[in-house]
Amino acid sequence: MGHVPSPRESERPPDHSAHFALRDRLRKLLAVAKGHERALVLTHDNPDPDAVASACGLAHLLDQCAGVRAMAAYGGIIGRAENKAMLKVLHLPIQPVARVEHQPHDLICLVDTQPEVGNYSLASTELPQLVIDHHPARPSSLMAAFHDVGGPAGATSTLVTQYLRCARLTPGPQLATALFYGIKSDTRDLGREYDPADVECYNWLFPHIDKPSLSRIEHPAVPARYFAAYHRAYERARLHGGGEGVVVDMGDVYVPEIVPEVAEKLVSLEGLRWSLATGAFKGELYLSLRLNDRRVNAGKLVREVCAPLGGSAGGHGAMAGARVPLRGRSSDLLSTDIFAMFLRAFHLRPGPGSPLVPLLP
Ligand SMILES: [Mn+2]
């Protein structure tokens, strides 16, 4: 852990054209922002560390370099213990959107998501003028006055770090730690879907981060409900295709983020190609897919399955998630239908499967 050597970087001659391209993008970003007075920088709902960090980072950039007073905000809740700890330990200036969206603002920015994805909360139908996201580009983002979407970066925090760096703004320990943790968690410690730019920003941030704070964030205290949710998930998990895939309907969950967390945990099972978890929270079914199989694109697959169900979906190669409104449907019946659709997509026979953990007598 810590400083990751980047042989690819040191072997490569300095890339001046990439630097000039970045400088041009920064100039354009600031030109779009300048002249505005107050910005709302919004993440996707139930934001993860990457979303929170990039919102705070962009707000800081707008504040310092464009003279725009910027408020970072999120919809939904921050429920995962690590994410809650991140806000608390680092005192990050981000608030629930319901608290700030009625305050005057004349610039809307979106980070870690895009207009078309529909997984962010804004009462009005105002369109964002500035969109920064590492997920695959959606056509609607190209209508924003400034957009940096669909590039190879493994985290939006990487893009924001590049802008800060290019603007010669060194983040203080709290923002640096947030951005570092954003990159680290979105790329699973630089082990999944990462780009040389992620490694470069990770290394650049490392000397500026507050190490004891990072440790407190990564090893948070968790409530008893956390263990209960895991216990239930392990008991309910069903293997399919002779251990090729695992599905679990977690039932009602106390925080939506426990669904991706469990999917992530289950995909580490030896020999497994994919894991799928669902859980119901406040009238919506949350779904998360994780893949060990590079031949399948998780984001595409989840979008195909969930769009007809009226859900909003996001994700990329190895990880994707969706939210489907229950609209009176029972969450276990909907989960059963969804599992059947995924089993079909993976060329497996639908059926009950076999338990992951044999029940004790
Ligand atoms: Mn992200």
Side-chain angles (χ1 to χ4, degrees):
M1 221 195 68
H3 188 90
V4 172
S6 170
R8 266 185 277 179
E9 287 305 307
S10 56
E11 281 161 18
R12 222 169 45 179
D15 189 346
H16 295 296
S17 64
H19 176 73
F20 289 132
L22 176 62
R23 231 176 45 184
D24 279 350
R25 280 202 305 279
L26 174 67
R27 205 176 289 144
K28 183 154 186 224
L29 189 165
L30 297 176
V32 167
K34 272 179 191 158
H36 290 89
E37 272 169 27
R38 293 178 74 109
L40 186 62
V41 183
L42 193 60
T43 68
H44 54 76
D45 291 347
N46 312 316
D48 56 13
D50 182 39
V52 168
S54 36
C56 295
L58 179 59
H60 182 64
L61 179 77
L62 295 177
D63 214 89
Q64 297 292 309
C65 298
V68 181
R69 285 189 60 193
M71 300 171 287
Y74 65 92
I77 63 162
I78 294 179
R80 191 173 180 212
E82 286 84 345
N83 307 358
K84 273 179 144 162
M86 177 184 177
L87 252 66
K88 198 172 145 199
V89 170
L90 301 176
H91 308 287
L92 295 175
I94 186 166
Q95 302 184 59
V97 64
R99 215 180 283 163
V100 293
E101 80 169 310
H102 300 296
Q103 293 176 22
H105 55 262
D106 53 4
L107 178 70
I108 295 183
C109 315
L110 214 53
V111 292
D112 208 37
T113 184
Q114 295 171 51
E116 218 172 306
V117 184
N119 62 347
Y120 61 94
S121 303
L122 209 53
S124 70
T125 51
E126 301 163 89
L127 276 176
Q129 290 115 296
L130 218 145
V131 182
I132 301 180
D133 182 25
H134 68 113
H135 294 100
R138 303 288 185 99
S140 59
S141 302
L142 311 181
M143 319 230 298
F146 178 86
H147 48 83
D148 182 354
V149 294
T156 303
S157 297
T158 296
L159 304 173
V160 172
T161 301
Q162 287 179 322
Y163 289 127
L164 291 171
R165 204 178 160 186
C166 188
R168 298 182 188 281
L169 275 181
T170 303
Q174 283 149 346
L175 181 57
T177 308
L179 291 164
F180 181 85
Y181 185 55
I183 297 171
K184 192 171 189 284
S185 58
D186 249 32
T187 61
R188 209 161 65 178
D189 303 305
L190 296 180
R192 177 176 59 195
E193 298 186 75
Y194 68 97
D195 180 72
D198 299 312
V199 181
E200 207 186 325
C201 289
Y202 183 100
N203 286 340
W204 183 74
L205 289 165
F206 188 70
H208 304 293
I209 69 171
D210 179 338
K211 279 84 177 174
S213 290
L214 180 65
S215 174
R216 281 174 64 200
I217 293 165
E218 291 193 301
H219 305 285
V222 291
R225 291 186 293 182
Y226 174 87
F227 294 99
Y230 260 93
H231 177 97
R232 198 163 178 216
Y234 288 152
E235 256 186 8
R236 288 176 164 215
R238 311 288 298 183
L239 293 165
H240 287 269
E244 185 185 306
V246 64
V247 304
V248 57
D249 168 12
M250 298 175 64
D252 288 323
V253 290
Y254 74 99
V255 282
E257 293 109 313
I258 192 114
V259 178
E261 192 181 326
V262 162
E264 184 86 51
K265 189 77 199 167
L266 289 173
V267 84
S268 58
L269 179 65
E270 283 176 342
L272 199 83
R273 280 178 58 210
W274 55 270
S275 69
L276 177 64
T278 60
F281 182 81
K282 288 195 177 160
E284 290 181 301
L285 189 73
Y286 285 76
L287 164 166
S288 278
L289 177 70
R290 292 292 182 275
L291 299 179
N292 279 326
D293 188 335
R294 286 165 176 276
R295 292 167 299 177
V296 186
N297 183 296
K300 195 164 160 259
L301 185 57
V302 166
R303 274 197 297 281
E304 279 165 10
V305 170
C306 295
L309 298 167
S312 61
H316 26 110
M319 51 198 287
R323 247 161 70 177
V324 179
L326 285 170
R327 296 200 189 106
R329 293 174 284 197
S330 89
S331 72
D332 41 329
L333 288 180
L334 185 56
S335 291
T336 309
D337 287 350
I338 287 174
F339 293 161
M341 289 188 264
F342 276 97
L343 289 169
R344 223 173 295 133
F346 285 112
H347 309 289
L348 295 174
R349 245 179 302 125
S354 57
L356 169 70
V357 185
L359 285 184
L360 295 172

